[in-house]
Amino acid sequence: PEKNDTESGSQRIRPVFEEDPVFRRQTSYQHAAVHIPTDIYEGSTIVLNELNWTAALDDVFKRNREEDPTLLWQVFGSATGLARYYPASPWVDKSRTPNKIDLYDVRRRPWYIQGAASPKDMLILVDASGSVSGLTLKLIRTSVIEMLETLSDDDFVNVVSFNNNAQNVSCFNHLVQANVRNKKKLKEAVYKISAKGITDYKKGFSYAFEQLLNHSVSRANCNKIIMLFTDGGEERAQEIFHKYNEDKKVRVFTFSVGQHNYDKGPIQWMACENKGYYYEIPSIGAIRINTQEYLDVLGRPMVLAGEKAKQVQWTNVYLDALELGLVITGTLPVFNLTKEQNGKINQLILGVMGVDVSLEDIKKLTPRFTLCPNGYYFAIDPNGYVLLHPNLQPKQIGVGIPKVKLRKRRPNVQNPKSQEPVTLDFLDAELENDIKVEIRKKMIDGESGEKTFETLVKSQDERYIDKGNRTYTWTAVNGTDYSLALVLPSYSFYYIKAKIEEPITQARCKYYEAAKETNLRRLMFCCFFREYCNDVKKSENNTEFLLNFNEFIDRNTPSSPSCNTDMVIRVLLDAGFTNELAQNYWSKLSLDGVVAQFVVTDGGITRVFPKRAGEDWLENAETYEVSFYKRSLDNDNYIFTAPYYNKSGANSYETGIMVSKAVEITINGKLLKPAVVGIKIDATSWMENFTKTTIKSLCNSEICGCERNSMHVDCVILDDGGFLLMSNRDEYTQQIGRFFGEIDPGLMRNLINMSLYAFNKSYDYQSVCDPEEEPKQGAGLRSAYVPTITDILHLGWWASAAAWSILQQLFLSLTFPRFLEAADMEDDDFSAALPKTSCITEQTQYFFENDDKSFGGIVDCINCSRLYHAEKISNTNLVFIISDSQLLCRSCDPKPLMQAEKPETDEGPNPCEMVKQPRYRKGPDVCFDEAKQEDSADCGGVSGLSPSLWSMVGIQLVLLWLLSGSRHCQL
C-alpha cells in the first residue's frame, strides 16, 4: 500500500482528511493508518496477516480517545516492522518531498527500542582475518553500523576486531554508553577495519568475555550479548565458552556474512549453545532486517515474565516522526500468550504499544509567566538528560544559522524521520559546577532537596555570562523515572498579583487611550505569543493583535472563562502605567543623543518612545525571551548592550547602544523586579561627547587625552563581554559591537592575563553548521615608540573623565511611577539542508573576573611595547581603556582572538577522555534478561525468525480475546 493509505483487512481505504489544530496537520479520526517499511514486501503473507489482526486495534484507539480526548498519537509497532497509528494522517506530503526515500522503520525508533527489551551490554566482535576482504568486509562494516543503530542511550557497547589477536577498534577499551557521540566514534573506527591474518575465535571470544565481565566500569548490568560477524570457520572455541559462559549468562548471536562455501555449522553451534541466534547476511539487502531481529530473542524473558513485565516505561526525549515536535512516549510491550501445538508456552514479543506526550502540552500546564524571565523548571531522566528545560532547543537542519544569534528554533523544520534522538545532559544544558553535579545525582536517585548558590548564567543571546544566585528545588515525579526541579532567582519568589479594583480600572482606561490613539499605539508592543485569552484572534502583526485584544476586552471582562485572568489583569496594569510614563515623563523630556526611551514589563508590555523609534524596534515581543531584559534583572548596574556586529558591512551601530536597568521595589521585605527601563543612545553623539570630555584643557603636551583619531593613544570602552562600544578612532566606529579580541588581539589577551576578563568555554550540542570564512590577517608596521612614565600617571584621570561622560548621557528619569499602588502579595524538505549538517559548536563567553576597579600593564611585542590602563566605570558593566596606539606597535601577534560560536573540528570534548570519567546514571530497577522456562532451541538458520502460519493464527485469536474482554488495550 501507499504510505498515505489506510488498511482495514485487505481493503484499501482513502480517508477524508481534515486540518487538525492539535496535530497541526491533516488527520482522520474515523480510521487508523498503517506504515510499512520500504524494504519489506507489502504483499507478503506475514504483512497481510499483520494488517488483518491489528485492524481490531482501531476500535480500541477510538474508545481510548473517547475516554481521554487529550490523547495524541496512539501507535502499535509490530516486531515485523508494521506500524499502525491513530488518528490516520498522510505519512508524507508528496508535493513537498518528491522522490524522497522513506527509511522509517518503527523497530528503529527510540520508543520501540526502549520498550521491546531490557537494556543491553553488547560486545560486537568483528572477524578481521584475511578471508573477509573485499565485498565481505564491506558487508560486515555496514552490518556493524546498522547494529549500532539498534542501541539507545540505556545500552552499553564496544566493538572489537580479531584475527591472530584481538583489539579494540577505537580508543574505547571497555563498554561505553551507546549515546550519539560514542556511536559516532565507533562507526568511524569500524570503517577503518582492515582484513589480514588468520581467524582465531579463541582469542576473539576471550577478549570479548573479559570486557563483558568487567564490572569496574559503568554499564547497563542487564542483557549481556556478544555479536559475532564473520564469514565462517571450522573452530568452535568450546573451551572458551566452557570457561566464561558455563551458566549461559551471556547470549551469543552469530552472523554469517557474504556468499561463500565455508561450513556454517560451527558458528551456528556457537549461537545455539549460548541462548542466541544464528543469522545469514548474504547481501546488503538482508542487513537491516537481520541486524534488528535479535530483539525478538531478548524479548523472550520479558514475555515469560508475564504481568511483571507489563510496566509502562517512559522514554527519553525524541523528535516525533509525524511532526508533533519534541515528545516523550509511554510504552508497553505486547506479548503472544498462545501456546504451540505441542503445548509449549509461546515466547514471541509481538511489538510495542506507545502513546505520545508532547513537551509543548506539558509546558502549557506550568505557570511560566509567574516565575519571572530568569525562573524556569526542568526534568531529567535516569540518564541525566533533560526535558522541559528552556535550553533544550535543538537547531534544525535545513535552516541556516543567522549571523545575528537571535534564534527562532522550530521543532518541525527538520525531517524528524531521519534525526538522532534528542539527548542533552543537564550539565551540558547549563554551565557546570560541582553543586550542579551533586544536584543531578540526587535527582537521578529520586531524592528531594533544595539548594541556593551562586552560578554562572549564559545570556539569552549566548554572548554574555552573568553571575546570579539561584535556588534549585527538586523532587521525584511519582509513577515515572523522572525528577522535576524548579529554579528561581531571589527576586522571583514573589510576583505581582493585581486585583480587579480601582487600580485596574484606571489602568484599563489608560490602556484604551493608548490603544486608540494612533500616535501611541505603534509605540506599544504586546506579547502575541502569550495566550491571554483563547478567544482572541491570533496575529503576528503587533498592531492587529492589539486591536483584536482591545476589541475582546471591550466585550468581556478579564475574568472571562476563556482568559487567564491574572495575565490579563497584569497586562492591563502594565499598559496603564507605561502609558503614564510615556505621557507624563518621556514626552516632556528632550535629550540630546538619546534615540529612544523604553520600558519592558513582566506582564508582556514593551513601550517605546518616540514613535519613529518604535517603528524600528527589532527586539522580541516576548519579553521573557529578550536578552537585555533578563540580564538587567540579574545585575544591579546599568547594563550597556552592544549592538550585533554585522560582518557584511552594514552599520549595525546606527540602531543605537542600549542602556537598561531593572526597576526594584520592596514590599514587606519582599524584593520584586517587575520591569526594566532604559534608553538607546546614538553612538556618534556619544563618541563626540566622549572625546570632548576626556581632553584636558590648557594642555601643551603631545598627548592631551582621547583626541579623535589620535596618533598616540587609543581610547575604547568595552562592555563586560569584551564587545566594543566606543572608541576615539573613526575606523573603529564601524566595528561597534564587534568583539575586541578581533580588533586589538594583543591588548585583549593582556586584559585576560591581568584578570580583568575571565572566559568560559562550553559546547552547544544542538547546532547545525554553515561554512565559516576565515578572517583575513594583515602584516602590521613596526615601531619602537615607548611613552614616558608621566603619560601613564594621567591615565587614571582620563578614565574618570570618560566615566563622567557616560553619566551625563544617563541624565534622565528612569522611573516607573506608582507601581506600588497595585501590588498585592518549518520545512520538511531535505534539499534545503545540503550545505548544513548537525554538529557541535564551541562557545566562549567573557566576563569580568573580579570586582577590582583598576588595571594596568604592558603589552610586550617583538620590538616594541604598549602601555595601557583600564578603569571600570562605576554602576555600569563597562570598562574604559586607554593605551598606546596600536598603529605605533604593529609587531604584536595579529592572530584574532575569536569569541563567536564556531564549529568544533574535533566534535567537542574528546569521547575517548570523557568515557574515563563517565557521568553518573541509573540503570533500570527491574531487568528481564533470563527466564528458567525459556526455550532456546529455536536458534536460527537460513530462514531466520519467520513466524509459522499456526503462530499467526494463534496471535489473531489471542488478540481478539483480549479486545473482547476490555475497553482499553490491556496488552
Side-chain angles (χ1 to χ4, degrees):
E2 293 181 8
K3 303 302 182 291
N4 297 24
D5 294 343
T6 301
E7 297 292 330
S8 178
S10 59
Q11 288 185 315
R12 178 169 296 176
I13 300 172
R14 299 186 182 277
V16 177
F17 295 116
E18 296 180 355
E19 198 65 32
D20 191 322
V22 175
F23 291 95
R24 300 189 296 276
R25 61 186 291 132
Q26 291 187 329
T27 62
S28 170
Y29 288 94
Q30 302 305 312
H31 305 278
V34 170
H35 176 274
I36 301 172
T38 304
D39 54 355
I40 293 180
Y41 174 48
E42 62 190 40
S44 69
T45 303
I46 294 176
V47 170
L48 293 177
N49 280 327
E50 292 259 310
L51 290 173
N52 185 38
W53 69 262
T54 60
L57 287 172
D58 291 16
D59 291 334
V60 178
F61 290 151
K62 292 175 184 178
R63 288 199 299 269
N64 289 343
R65 182 175 181 272
E66 287 174 2
E67 294 190 2
D68 186 357
T70 65
L71 284 178
L72 298 176
W73 298 121
Q74 301 177 65
V75 188
F76 170 70
S78 167
T80 61
L82 179 145
R84 182 176 287 273
Y85 58 97
Y86 178 87
S89 182
W91 187 252
V92 293
D93 185 345
K94 293 185 176 180
S95 65
R96 295 169 57 196
T97 55
N99 304 320
K100 299 301 177 187
I101 300 175
D102 180 14
L103 298 178
Y104 181 90
D105 189 323
V106 68
R107 295 167 294 183
R108 291 175 179 262
R109 294 298 291 168
W111 64 272
Y112 186 95
I113 293 172
Q114 288 182 257
S118 293
K120 304 171 280 295
D121 287 320
M122 179 185 291
L123 194 292
I124 301 176
L125 191 59
V126 178
D127 182 355
S129 63
S131 63
V132 301
S133 60
L135 178 59
T136 302
L137 180 58
K138 292 180 180 179
L139 288 175
I140 287 178
R141 288 171 178 163
T142 305
S143 299
V144 173
I145 300 301
E146 289 293 325
M147 180 64 71
L148 290 171
E149 288 304 308
T150 67
L151 302 177
S152 73
D153 289 73
D154 291 335
D155 304 318
F156 281 69
V157 66
N158 199 10
V159 181
V160 169
S161 66
F162 73 97
N163 38 43
N164 310 63
N165 295 294
Q167 53 277 320
N168 301 302
V169 300
S170 69
C171 59
F172 303 142
N173 55 21
H174 55 74
L175 297 179
V176 297
Q177 187 180 17
N179 58 38
V180 174
R181 293 190 294 280
N182 290 342
K183 287 194 292 186
K184 181 177 182 181
K185 195 75 175 178
L186 288 171
K187 291 174 188 176
E188 292 171 351
V190 166
Y191 280 120
K192 298 177 182 177
I193 294 176
S194 59
K196 58 184 177 181
I198 61 173
T199 304
D200 189 338
Y201 285 129
K202 294 179 182 178
K203 290 280 181 66
F205 276 107
S206 295
Y207 197 88
F209 277 114
E210 289 290 346
Q211 283 205 21
L212 275 178
L213 300 176
N214 179 11
H215 294 278
S216 63
V217 296
S218 180
R219 50 191 296 157
N221 289 319
C222 197
N223 286 293
K224 298 178 181 62
I225 312 166
I226 293 177
M227 297 288 188
L228 172 66
F229 290 87
T230 181
D231 61 348
E234 299 179 358
E235 186 181 15
R236 295 192 176 191
Q238 291 167 290
E239 60 269 38
I240 302 300
F241 295 116
H242 179 75
K243 175 182 178 181
Y244 291 101
N245 202 37
E246 192 169 11
D247 57 0
K248 305 294 190 292
K249 294 288 187 181
V250 178
R251 295 182 187 268
V252 177
F253 295 82
T254 56
F255 298 81
S256 175
V257 185
Q259 298 182 0
H260 48 73
N261 296 319
Y262 298 129
D263 183 8
K264 301 168 185 175
I267 60 173
Q268 189 170 0
W269 176 89
M270 293 175 185
C272 293
E273 284 297 309
N274 293 278
K275 297 172 68 174
Y277 211 91
Y278 165 76
Y279 303 92
E280 292 184 4
I281 302 179
S283 62
I284 195 168
I287 290 177
R288 278 177 64 88
I289 294 176
N290 285 299
T291 54
Q292 62 196 14
E293 289 195 340
Y294 76 93
L295 291 173
D296 295 344
V297 178
L298 296 188
R300 291 173 182 174
M302 190 179 287
V303 176
L304 296 172
E307 293 296 324
K308 293 181 181 178
K310 289 186 178 180
Q311 301 176 1
V312 175
Q313 296 185 64
W314 290 95
T315 67
N316 299 325
V317 179
Y318 68 95
L319 202 61
D320 178 55
L322 290 173
E323 301 177 338
L324 201 58
L326 295 178
V327 298
I328 56 175
T329 298
T331 65
L332 196 66
V334 182
F335 307 143
N336 182 358
L337 301 179
T338 62
K339 292 186 177 181
E340 302 282 354
Q341 283 181 310
N342 55 11
K344 289 184 178 180
I345 298 176
N346 201 307
Q347 52 189 15
L348 180 66
I349 184 169
L350 298 181
V352 177
M353 288 290 301
V355 177
D356 289 344
V357 177
S358 167
L359 295 194
E360 286 300 319
D361 287 347
I362 298 177
K363 290 178 182 178
K364 291 177 182 177
L365 301 176
T366 57
R368 181 191 179 196
F369 296 108
T370 57
L371 299 181
C372 101
N374 288 324
Y376 59 94
Y377 50 86
F378 68 91
I380 66 174
D381 66 15
N383 282 309
Y385 298 145
V386 298
L387 56 152
L388 305 179
H389 198 287
N391 292 337
L392 181 63
Q393 297 179 336
K395 303 186 189 76
Q396 311 307 325
I397 296 176
V399 180
I401 302 176
K403 296 297 182 183
V404 176
K405 287 177 57 57
L406 290 174
R407 298 178 180 168
K408 295 181 180 178
R409 299 154 169 150
R410 299 177 183 175
N412 302 330
V413 176
Q414 66 192 63
N415 189 306
K417 302 181 183 71
S418 62
Q419 296 300 309
E420 297 280 7
V422 179
T423 54
L424 181 65
D425 196 282
F426 168 60
L427 299 179
D428 295 323
E430 302 191 4
L431 298 178
E432 180 179 347
N433 61 33
D434 292 341
I435 299 177
K436 291 181 182 179
V437 173
E438 178 188 353
I439 291 174
R440 177 182 179 275
K441 183 178 186 301
K442 290 182 176 181
M443 291 181 68
I444 291 174
D445 288 337
E447 299 179 19
S448 299
E450 182 176 288
K451 194 87 170 179
T452 300
F453 56 96
E454 184 181 74
T455 182
L456 297 180
V457 181
K458 194 181 297 185
S459 67
Q460 180 77 21
D461 60 8
E462 299 181 343
R463 294 195 297 168
Y464 299 93
I465 280 184
D466 294 300
K467 296 176 183 178
N469 287 316
R470 297 290 187 268
T471 297
Y472 285 68
T473 306
W474 63 91
T475 190
V477 179
N478 294 332
T480 73
D481 292 329
Y482 301 129
S483 187
L484 183 67
L486 175 65
V487 183
L488 293 174
S490 58
Y491 50 83
S492 66
F493 290 161
Y494 305 90
Y495 66 97
I496 291 177
K497 183 178 175 66
K499 295 180 180 179
I500 313 179
E501 294 174 352
E502 183 62 27
I504 287 303
T505 305
Q506 183 181 10
R508 189 174 174 185
C509 293
K510 292 174 181 176
Y511 174 85
Y512 290 155
E513 293 171 7
K516 292 175 180 177
E517 185 177 339
T518 305
N519 188 48
L520 285 177
R521 187 179 67 228
R522 301 183 67 179
L523 310 180
M524 186 172 71
F525 300 87
C526 190
C527 180
F528 42 76
F529 299 110
R530 300 189 190 182
E531 293 187 1
Y532 296 101
C533 298
N534 294 331
D535 294 338
V536 175
K537 295 179 182 178
K538 301 293 188 297
S539 174
E540 292 193 6
N541 179 285
N542 182 70
T543 302
E544 184 177 346
F545 176 78
L546 286 173
L547 291 173
N548 294 341
F549 185 78
N550 185 39
E551 179 185 352
F552 178 85
I553 293 298
D554 270 336
R555 294 182 284 103
N556 300 273
T557 65
S559 56
S560 169
S562 71
C563 294
N564 184 318
T565 304
D566 288 343
M567 286 177 59
V568 172
I569 294 174
R570 184 67 196 280
V571 76
L572 289 173
L573 174 72
D574 290 356
F577 286 151
T578 57
N579 180 54
E580 180 178 324
L581 181 64
Q583 289 186 331
N584 296 343
Y585 291 84
W586 291 345
S587 61
K588 298 176 182 179
L589 291 173
S590 178
L591 301 169
D592 292 337
V594 174
V595 177
Q597 300 169 72
F598 61 87
V599 57
V600 181
T601 76
D602 190 69
I605 292 293
T606 300
R607 192 180 290 276
V608 185
F609 182 87
K611 174 183 175 181
R612 63 179 180 278
E615 292 173 340
D616 297 331
W617 190 258
L618 301 176
E619 299 296 330
N620 196 330
E622 174 48 79
T623 58
Y624 273 44
E625 303 293 333
V626 179
S627 186
F628 79 83
Y629 180 52
K630 298 174 75 171
R631 291 199 71 210
S632 298
L633 296 176
D634 266 337
N635 291 275
D636 296 329
N637 297 328
Y638 290 97
I639 295 299
F640 285 68
T641 301
Y644 289 94
Y645 173 67
N646 192 332
K647 292 183 178 180
S648 66
N651 296 332
S652 58
Y653 72 94
E654 291 181 354
T655 60
I657 295 171
M658 189 174 293
V659 190
S660 57
K661 194 176 193 308
V663 175
E664 296 185 8
I665 60 175
T666 303
I667 304 173
N668 298 328
K670 309 297 190 299
L671 176 65
L672 298 171
K673 295 186 178 182
V676 167
V677 291
I679 59 173
K680 271 191 174 183
I681 54 179
D682 177 67
T684 304
S685 299
W686 189 23
M687 186 176 73
E688 291 176 355
N689 290 334
F690 168 77
T691 52
K692 290 177 182 178
T693 307
T694 56
I695 295 177
K696 293 176 64 176
S697 59
L698 303 176
C699 174
N700 297 320
S701 172
E702 194 175 47
I703 304 176
C704 293
C706 294
E707 296 176 296
R708 193 163 182 172
N709 298 319
S710 170
M711 291 295 295
H712 302 286
V713 294
D714 289 343
C715 298
V716 296
I717 292 178
L718 311 181
D719 66 13
D720 56 333
F723 295 98
L724 178 67
L725 287 180
M726 185 52 56
S727 171
N728 66 329
R729 309 195 65 80
D730 288 343
E731 63 186 271
Y732 286 177
T733 303
Q734 300 289 333
Q735 301 186 69
I736 286 178
R738 190 176 190 181
F739 182 63
F740 193 59
E742 300 178 54
I743 300 172
D744 195 336
L747 180 53
M748 188 65 195
R749 288 190 176 94
N750 213 273
L751 296 176
I752 297 169
N753 294 337
M754 293 296 293
S755 299
L756 170 56
Y757 283 101
F759 63 89
N760 183 85
K761 286 186 181 293
S762 60
Y763 296 96
D764 185 346
Y765 295 94
Q766 308 173 89
S767 292
V768 293
C769 294
D770 276 327
E772 284 287 335
E773 295 183 4
E774 290 295 325
K776 297 181 180 179
Q777 299 179 6
L781 299 173
R782 296 175 178 268
S783 173
Y785 169 77
V786 180
T788 66
I789 194 68
T790 308
D791 297 327
I792 302 303
L793 293 177
H794 292 296
L795 291 178
W797 179 87
W798 285 331
S800 300
W804 175 243
S805 168
I806 293 171
L807 294 177
Q808 284 181 316
Q809 294 294 317
L810 294 177
F811 185 69
L812 73 160
S813 176
L814 296 182
T815 58
F816 205 68
R818 301 175 61 191
F819 218 106
L820 295 178
E821 292 181 14
D824 184 356
M825 301 310 305
E826 107 181 40
D827 189 4
D828 214 12
D829 195 340
F830 285 61
S831 60
L834 289 178
K836 304 171 181 65
T837 58
S838 171
C839 66
I840 299 172
T841 53
E842 182 185 81
Q843 295 182 343
T844 306
Q845 289 90 13
Y846 292 79
F847 56 96
F848 290 153
E849 183 168 351
N850 52 54
D851 295 329
D852 294 346
K853 298 297 183 182
S854 299
F855 300 83
I858 300 176
V859 182
D860 194 7
C861 301
I862 298 175
N863 61 352
C864 64
S865 59
R866 298 168 58 200
L867 283 86
Y868 70 88
H869 184 87
E871 192 84 19
K872 289 182 183 175
I873 299 174
S874 299
N875 301 316
T876 72
N877 64 323
L878 303 181
V879 60
F880 169 78
I881 304 168
I882 185 168
S883 69
D884 294 326
S885 175
Q886 188 181 13
L887 299 174
L888 302 175
C889 189
R890 287 288 195 178
S891 58
C892 294
D893 182 6
K895 183 180 179 181
L897 181 64
M898 307 299 293
Q899 183 273 344
E901 185 176 65
K902 60 182 180 180
E904 256 297 301
T905 54
D906 297 328
E907 289 297 313
N910 187 352
C912 304
E913 296 298 323
M914 292 187 69
V915 297
K916 294 178 181 178
Q917 293 183 318
R919 288 170 173 167
Y920 180 76
R921 64 178 297 278
K922 186 178 178 181
D925 294 327
V926 181
C927 171
F928 300 99
D929 60 348
E930 61 177 344
K932 292 181 179 180
Q933 64 270 45
E934 179 183 341
D935 180 11
S936 58
D938 180 13
C939 55
V942 177
S943 61
L945 286 174
S946 300
S948 66
L949 179 60
W950 284 109
S951 296
M952 298 309 301
V953 172
I955 291 169
Q956 296 176 47
L957 291 175
V958 71
L959 186 72
L960 290 173
W961 175 78
L962 288 169
L963 296 176
S964 63
S966 174
R967 291 196 65 193
H968 280 289
C969 184
Q970 302 289 336
L971 297 175

